[in-house]
Amino acid sequence: MPSRKDIRNKPNVYSWATKVDFMLNSVGGFKDLDSANVSLLWDQDYILTLERRKIHPQLEDAGAAGYRLTIDATDTASDAENLGTRLAYALLNVAIERQWGMSLSWPDSPLPCRVIDRTASMGASVQGFGSSTSHVQTNEFVAALETGFEHHSQVPYSLLLSMELCASSRFENNNRSKLIMLVSAFEALAGQQDLSSDLGPLVMDLRSTIETFRIEDADLKASLLGQLEGLKRESVRRAIRRLLINTKLSKEDRDFVDEAYQARSKIVHEGHRVPELDAMTAKLDSLLKQVYREISPST
C-alpha cells in the first residue's frame, strides 16, 4: 500500500482516482465544511477529499446541496472502480443511518462513481443549468379545474393513484426513481383480468401435482402453491398492453411502454443500469397524458 506522500507526489505511478457526486436534502449536511475543498482525516491510506459541487439553483433554493467525494489514488483503473463502489456504499450507509435524503449522480454510468485519470490535462470547463416553467393566469387555472371536475362524477381510486404517481414523479431529480413511478402509474390503471374460468382446471391439476410431489421444504411447497393462485390472474404486463390498446395508443407507443416496463424490471429485480433515461421518462410522461385523456368519464 503506498503512503499518502507517494500518492500525492507520484501521480504518474498512482495515476487513477475515483469520485462520487451526490446531493443531500436539507436534513443532511456538515457543520464544519467551511472551505470549498477539504482533505478528510480517516484511517485508510488513500487521500479522501470532500468539496462542494454546484447543483441546479432550484434545488439549492429548496435546501439541497451538492457535494463530491474523491479518493486518490491507485495504480490501476480497476482498483479505482472498486474503491469508488465501496465509497458509494459507505456514503449510502451513512445516509440511511442518519435519515438523510440523498441522490447519487450516476444517470447513465454502470458504476456509482467516476474513475479519474490524474495524468490527464485539465482544460477549461463549463457548467450550466436549464429549466422551464408553465405558469398560468388564475382564470385559466379555474377553467382547467372546472373541466377536470366535470369529467368524472365519481373518480376511480386507480385513476387517482395513477395520476398522483405521474404528477409526483416530476419532483424526482433521479431518473431511475422517476421511471419506476411512471411505470407504476401505468400499472395502477391496468386492472388484471380474472382467468379462473379459462385456467382453473389447469391450476387444479398443477396443485394436485405439487401436493403429491415429494418436497421436503414445507415453506417452498407453500410458496409454489401460492404462486399457482397467481396463474388465475392476468399478468401485469399483459394488462398494461390491453389498457394501451383500449386507450388507442399506437403499436409503436405500446411497444415503447413495454420496453420501459422491462427496463423497470431490470432496475428493480436485477440491479441493472439503463442508459438514457431522460428521453424514456419524458416520453412515458407524455403517453400517460394521452391515456388519461382517453379514459372514459364515469357516470
Side-chain angles (χ1 to χ4, degrees):
M1 177 69 70
S3 66
R4 290 191 178 95
K5 183 177 180 180
D6 286 338
I7 289 173
R8 184 177 294 107
N9 296 334
K10 299 178 181 179
N12 289 326
V13 177
Y14 305 105
S15 54
W16 298 98
T18 187
K19 65 181 181 181
V20 176
D21 290 343
F22 63 102
M23 185 173 65
L24 296 177
N25 67 0
S26 57
V27 175
F30 309 96
K31 298 178 180 178
D32 51 356
L33 184 62
D34 298 324
S35 62
N37 191 313
V38 176
S39 182
L40 304 176
L41 296 177
W42 66 340
D43 291 335
Q44 308 297 319
D45 291 323
Y46 305 102
I47 298 173
L48 178 65
T49 305
L50 175 66
E51 60 185 298
R52 289 295 298 264
R53 182 175 62 90
K54 191 70 177 174
I55 59 174
H56 197 289
Q58 289 182 349
L59 296 172
E60 289 186 336
D61 290 344
Y67 300 93
R68 171 173 295 162
L69 276 172
T70 305
I71 290 185
D72 293 319
T74 67
D75 53 356
T76 67
S78 60
D79 283 345
E81 287 183 359
N82 181 55
L83 286 178
T85 303
R86 290 168 59 194
L87 181 61
Y89 162 78
L91 183 59
L92 288 168
N93 192 60
V94 171
I96 290 168
E97 291 295 328
R98 299 228 169 229
Q99 295 187 306
W100 291 353
M102 177 182 291
S103 174
L104 297 182
S105 300
W106 56 315
D108 294 331
S109 169
L111 294 169
C113 60
R114 298 284 186 182
V115 173
I116 308 166
D117 182 356
R118 298 174 72 207
T119 64
S121 60
M122 300 294 290
S125 63
V126 177
Q127 187 176 19
F129 302 99
S131 60
S132 61
T133 59
S134 181
H135 295 172
V136 298
Q137 298 290 340
T138 53
N139 61 330
E140 294 178 69
F141 173 65
V142 172
L145 268 183
E146 189 168 7
T147 299
F149 190 80
E150 293 291 337
H151 196 256
H152 288 278
S153 59
Q154 291 185 335
V155 181
Y157 175 75
S158 58
L159 176 59
L160 200 65
L161 173 61
S162 176
M163 296 180 78
E164 184 180 7
L165 287 169
C166 179
S168 297
S169 73
R170 295 168 186 166
F171 272 103
E172 294 291 333
N173 67 295
N174 182 312
N175 273 312
R176 285 178 300 151
S177 300
K178 186 178 292 187
L179 175 71
I180 291 169
M181 293 179 74
L182 290 172
V183 173
S184 297
F186 280 102
E187 187 173 338
L189 290 173
Q192 296 168 263
Q193 289 184 337
D194 188 344
L195 304 177
S196 298
S197 58
D198 297 324
L199 299 180
L202 173 62
V203 171
M204 290 298 294
D205 288 346
L206 291 173
R207 173 178 287 277
S208 298
T209 301
I210 292 174
E211 287 176 342
T212 56
F213 195 81
R214 184 175 179 182
I215 301 176
E216 300 294 340
D217 189 331
D219 288 339
L220 175 59
K221 190 170 186 176
S223 175
L224 290 173
L225 291 171
Q227 290 179 57
L228 279 181
E229 292 302 310
L231 295 178
K232 295 180 181 179
R233 298 183 69 196
E234 182 181 30
S235 71
V236 172
R237 186 175 175 185
R238 175 180 159 133
I240 290 176
R241 289 192 68 85
R242 182 167 48 78
L243 165 75
L244 301 182
I245 291 172
N246 293 340
T247 49
K248 304 176 184 177
L249 262 65
S250 67
K251 184 179 184 306
E252 180 183 353
D253 288 339
R254 297 198 302 268
D255 289 344
F256 177 83
V257 174
D258 190 62
E259 178 186 339
Y261 181 86
Q262 294 180 71
R264 194 274 298 264
S265 296
K266 289 180 180 178
I267 290 172
V268 174
H269 301 299
E270 301 174 30
H272 285 191
R273 302 296 302 178
V274 177
E276 300 179 345
L277 286 179
D278 279 333
M280 181 175 284
T281 54
K283 185 169 182 178
L284 283 176
D285 188 295
S286 177
L287 292 176
L288 273 167
K289 287 164 64 176
Q290 289 182 235
V291 170
Y292 297 144
R293 294 185 188 122
E294 291 294 333
I295 292 177
S296 300
S298 62
T299 56

